[in-house]
Structures are given as C-alpha cells and as structure tokens.
Amino acid sequence: MPDHLHLLVHGQSETAQCKGFIALAKQYSAYYYSKECRQRLWQRYGYERTLRKDEDTLTVAQYILENPVRAGIVATVPDYPFVGSLICEWKDLLASVQDRSG
C-alpha cells in the first residue's frame, strides 16, 4: 500500500518479542529511508496490534493479501508487486485463504 504497511509477524518461540521486533524494524527502516530520501518514513503515531487468541491468522492474512485489491490499486492479489512471506510461498497462502472463502 502506498501510505501504510501490513505485516503479519509470528514469534518462533514462547520468548519471542514481536513488539520489540516491530520497534526495531521501524527504527532500522526509518534510519535507512531518511538517509536515502531525506524525509520521514513513519508517522509519529503508528498503529500496531497483537492478534487475540480467538482471531484466526488466515483471516488476517486474507485481509492483508486482499487489501491492495480493495483499495483499487490492482485487479488481483498477484498483480501487487509487494506481496511476500518469509515463512511460506505467498501463492500457497493465497490458495489457503481462497479455499476457506470459496
């Protein structure tokens, strides 16, 4: 999305600090972005939230994947150039969420 970012982060252990990860990711990206572009990357007051235990991860993933389509930026999810995952192939993830809604 041109004006915001969606990340779905899952800790790999019980001691994982997702909020700490997000803080460091924002700090790191802001530093290099401002160094290159000479402007701020993040708004002063951003919005992060933690999924509740009753929230379904695939439902959130589906929302994130389909966001550029809902915004009218692209016609289909694969058309959006900034879709990706470090955990699974985005095509498999998209197939999983489509199987659930189809």
Side-chain angles (χ1 to χ4, degrees), residues 1-93:
M1 302 297 297
D3 61 351
H4 66 279
L5 171 70
H6 288 274
L7 292 176
L8 182 57
V9 178
H10 178 88
Q12 296 295 305
S13 72
E14 289 295 319
T15 59
Q17 297 291 321
C18 288
K19 287 187 177 188
F21 165 78
I22 291 169
L24 286 174
K26 288 175 73 173
Q27 180 182 19
Y28 183 85
S29 59
Y31 173 79
Y32 285 101
Y33 183 84
S34 67
K35 193 173 174 182
E36 183 70 27
C37 301
R38 308 267 188 250
Q39 58 183 341
R40 289 180 67 109
L41 175 61
W42 303 109
Q43 296 174 352
R44 183 175 173 139
Y45 299 104
Y47 177 72
E48 298 98 22
R49 73 179 190 90
T50 303
L51 294 183
R52 296 182 301 269
K53 290 195 184 293
D54 65 335
E55 286 184 288
D56 182 50
T57 304
L58 280 178
T59 300
V60 175
Q62 182 175 12
Y63 172 84
I64 292 170
L65 288 170
E66 294 175 349
N67 202 23
V69 177
R70 279 191 307 278
I73 296 171
V74 294
T76 66
V77 172
D79 294 338
Y80 193 61
F82 304 108
V83 172
S85 171
L86 297 176
I87 304 295
C88 60
E89 292 291 326
W90 70 264
K91 292 176 185 178
D92 295 337
L93 183 57

